[in-house]
């Protein structure tokens, strides 16, 4: 079988039939309205993405509870009244023949207090965050269970709105990730203190989501295979945590890394050579060799040859892209027709959220 065949071969993810191995990784677009409702602009973007040929689209992060708002104009699924507009999004994608998963998040310590009505951000432990320039507050037992339940309720809403899957955002220093990480979880109770206890929050969220959506519905989790910081999670520890989640019914894992404080960034700039691409591929291999569930590898995928190599060497089952699809939503179709490399130059100007009304490729629109 040729390499090209592999990238563009169909793939079954827990019964969900993807047309190819390319996933649009979650990308916050800053295109929802001020309350987090789907806008016409967002529907149009997803129609374009669906026509563009990705096997699965994962939305930008969507809020599960008002205490976890991580960005202005982010999507929300924290109340029943959001279902109707979310359904317009899934209907539009399905009309174009695409599949769509809703990414669910609680922002935890990385939420700017300005977006929380001046309240302190909540997290496993009290800690200073140099990006929000504020201290998070340690969650009470009652708050922890409220958020766990909120994940379940939001997942139920996602299913009701017609999403084909949900992805739990367990990466990048947001709440689930900050419970998993020894750097941000300094508790000494059921929720932290050793590796197993640090996993409990993610496990309880998964249980809550599973009981809300039922057995026959794909639940994916994006994790940090590496926090990329001193005292943070390592690929070996992350793998042990994901194995526990796999035993509890997780359907697939997406590999990423880093948090806002890390020495190396999640969204790495200046990817110019093939060696710079697929920057979590060693973790991909580690995870794939040890797990039975599908592994999605995201981070720096730019050229068809590299993606084909990743699949061929067993470093992933599926490949995720964010920035290249901001610039070229139809990149999968272009690659299927022979394009070798994405136009995205990894300048990261599309991540200057404060300077932009909505996320777009600055190289295209000046
Ligand atoms: C503008 C922008 C918004 C992003 N928003 C999210 C998000 O909502 N959830 C998430 O898990 N990752 C988010 N990411 C990270 C990407 O999913 C991905 O992990 C990272 O950009 C590396 O992949 P890439 O090299 O293909 O861009 C975002 C990235 C960008 C550039
Ligand atoms: S602004 Fe455009 S070229 Fe630069 S990283 Fe974003 S999508 Fe890529």
């Amino acid at each position: 079988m040729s390499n090209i065949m592999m990238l563009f071969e169909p793939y079954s993810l827990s019964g969900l039939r993807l047309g190819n191995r390319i996933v649009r990784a979650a990308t916050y677009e800053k295109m929802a309205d001020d309350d987090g409702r789907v806008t016409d602009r967002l529907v149009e973007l997803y129609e374009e993405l669906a026509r563009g040929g990705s096997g699965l689209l994962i939305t930008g992060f969507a809020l599960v509870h008002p205490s976890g708002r991580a960005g202005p104009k982010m999507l929300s699924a924290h109340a029943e009244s959001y279902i109707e507009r979310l359904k317009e999004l899934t209907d539009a994608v399905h009309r174009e023949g695409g599949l769509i998963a809703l990414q669910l998040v609680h922002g935890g310590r990385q939420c700017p207090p300005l977006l929380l009505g001046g309240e302190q951000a909540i997290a496993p432990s009290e800690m200073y965050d140099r990006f929000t320039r504020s201290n998070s507050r340690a969650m009470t037992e009652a708050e922890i269970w409220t958020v766990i339940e909120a994940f379940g309720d939001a997942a139920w809403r996602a299913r009701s709105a017609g999403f084909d899957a949900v992805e739990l955002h367990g990466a990048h220093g947001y709440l689930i990730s900050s419970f998993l990480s020894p750097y941000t979880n300094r508790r000494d109770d059921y929720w932290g203190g050793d590796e197993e206890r640090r996993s409990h929050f993610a496990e309880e969220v998964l249980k809550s989501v599973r009981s809300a959506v039922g057995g026959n519905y794909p639940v994916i989790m994006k994790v940090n295979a590496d926090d990329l910081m001193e005292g943070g999670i390592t690929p070996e520890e992350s793998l042990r945590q994901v194995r526990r989640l796999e035993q509890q019914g997780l359907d697939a894992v997406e590999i990423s890394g880093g948090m806002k404080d890390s020495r190396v960034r999640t969204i790495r700039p200046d990817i110019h050579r093939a060696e710079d691409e697929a920057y979590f591929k060693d973790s991909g291999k580690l995870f794939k060799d040890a797990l039975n569930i599908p592994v999605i590898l995201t981070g720096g995928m730019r050229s068809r040859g590299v993606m084909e190599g990743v699949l061929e060497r067993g470093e992933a089952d599926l490949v995720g892209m964010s920035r290249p699809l901001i610039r070229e939503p139809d990149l999968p179709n272009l690659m299927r027709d022979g394009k070798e490399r994405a136009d995205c130059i990894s300048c990261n100007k599309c991540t200057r959220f404060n300077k932009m009304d909505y996320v777009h490729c600055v190289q295209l629109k000046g």
Side-chain angles (χ1 to χ4, degrees), residues 82-100:
Y82 286 75
I83 296 177
E84 200 179 314
R85 287 293 287 163
L86 286 168
K87 185 150 186 358
E88 288 180 37
L89 191 64
T90 61
D91 282 346
V93 168
H94 292 151
R95 266 196 308 273
E96 298 294 343
L99 294 172
I100 180 165

Side-chain angles (χ1 to χ4, degrees), residues 238-249:
S238 175
L239 174 59
R240 288 192 293 272
Q241 290 173 332
V242 174
R243 282 176 97 150
R244 280 196 281 271
L245 293 164
E246 177 184 35
Q247 281 157 15
Q248 296 186 15

Side-chain angles (χ1 to χ4, degrees), residues 323 326-327 344-350 360-363:
R323 287 166 288 175
I326 295 175
R327 179 146 185 175
C344 172
I345 56 167
S346 312
C347 67
N348 277 7
K349 290 191 174 156
C350 52
H360 59 274
C361 176
V362 171
Q363 301 295 344

